Amino acid sequence: MEQKIHQGRNVKRFREMLNIKQEALAYDLGEDWSQKKISLLEQKDVIEDTILKQISAVLKIPVEAFQNFDEEQAVNIISNTFNIEKDAYIGNAKPVFNINPLDELKKLHEEKIALYERMLKEKDEMMTRLEKLINK
């Protein structure tokens, strides 16, 4: 059994993907349009070609997208195309990290010691300056 494509629902899907409200679409389509009319249009199975062309121009989406898009087919294609184990990664699916945790720990410890020594040096310099100021 072939499932019929619901053009009104497709208009609604694309409008929502573009984050456009019904009122804004109605405004862009002209004076004859209102939010209520857009709502009714989105409930129609088949939309006249002239109206689809107007909507296509406003949303900058090809008319064929409204006429041919089938969400169920799209979901099937995506679910059958991607393999979580293999395709969900960009680059190497099973990366190898050449990091030795002990080396990293040693490096952090050395940085901490260097920082501590700089702080002690600055403290000594500050004490020397303070002693000079007091002795004046």
Side-chain angles (χ1 to χ4, degrees), residues 70-85:
D70 183 9
E71 186 175 13
E72 190 173 314
Q73 286 179 356
V75 168
N76 284 338
I77 289 170
I78 292 168
S79 65
N80 291 331
T81 302
F82 291 103
N83 177 347
I84 282 294
E85 293 296 320

Side-chain angles (χ1 to χ4, degrees), residues 4-135:
K4 197 169 186 182
I5 293 173
H6 195 287
Q7 293 177 358
R9 194 174 302 129
N10 286 343
V11 169
K12 180 180 180 179
R13 281 191 186 108
F14 286 112
R15 176 184 59 76
E16 288 175 343
M17 280 190 255
L18 294 171
N19 202 22
I20 297 174
K21 297 209 174 285
Q22 289 178 335
E23 296 86 4
L25 179 59
Y27 178 81
D28 288 341
L29 287 172
E31 291 180 15
D32 297 339
W33 289 88
S34 66
Q35 180 273 324
K36 178 76 173 165
K37 194 170 177 182
I38 296 294
S39 178
L40 292 172
L41 178 82
E42 290 176 350
Q43 295 173 23
K44 293 174 93 175
D45 285 341
V46 178
I47 299 173
E48 297 79 29
D49 286 342
T50 54
I51 295 173
L52 275 180
K53 286 178 185 174
Q54 288 177 320
I55 295 169
S56 171
V58 169
L59 297 180
K60 296 177 178 61
I61 293 175
V63 174
E64 293 79 19
F66 302 117
Q67 294 171 333
N68 300 325
F69 180 75
D70 183 9
E71 186 175 13
E72 190 173 314
Q73 286 179 356
V75 168
N76 284 338
I77 289 170
I78 292 168
S79 65
N80 291 331
T81 302
F82 291 103
N83 177 347
I84 282 294
E85 293 296 320
K86 184 177 76 129
D87 296 330
Y89 302 97
I90 296 173
N92 188 357
K94 293 183 174 74
V96 176
F97 297 101
N98 293 323
I99 297 172
N100 184 345
L102 290 177
D103 289 341
E104 294 298 313
L105 191 60
K106 278 196 256 182
K107 196 184 305 180
L108 287 172
H109 183 67
E110 290 167 2
E111 288 175 10
K112 185 173 107 177
I113 290 172
L115 176 62
Y116 184 70
E117 288 173 351
R118 277 196 318 268
M119 289 172 60
L120 284 175
K121 183 179 175 184
E122 287 178 21
K123 181 198 79 128
D124 290 342
E125 290 172 359
M126 182 68 73
M127 293 299 288
T128 306
R129 279 187 251 144
L130 285 172
E131 286 173 357
K132 285 180 185 178
L133 284 173
I134 291 173
N135 292 334

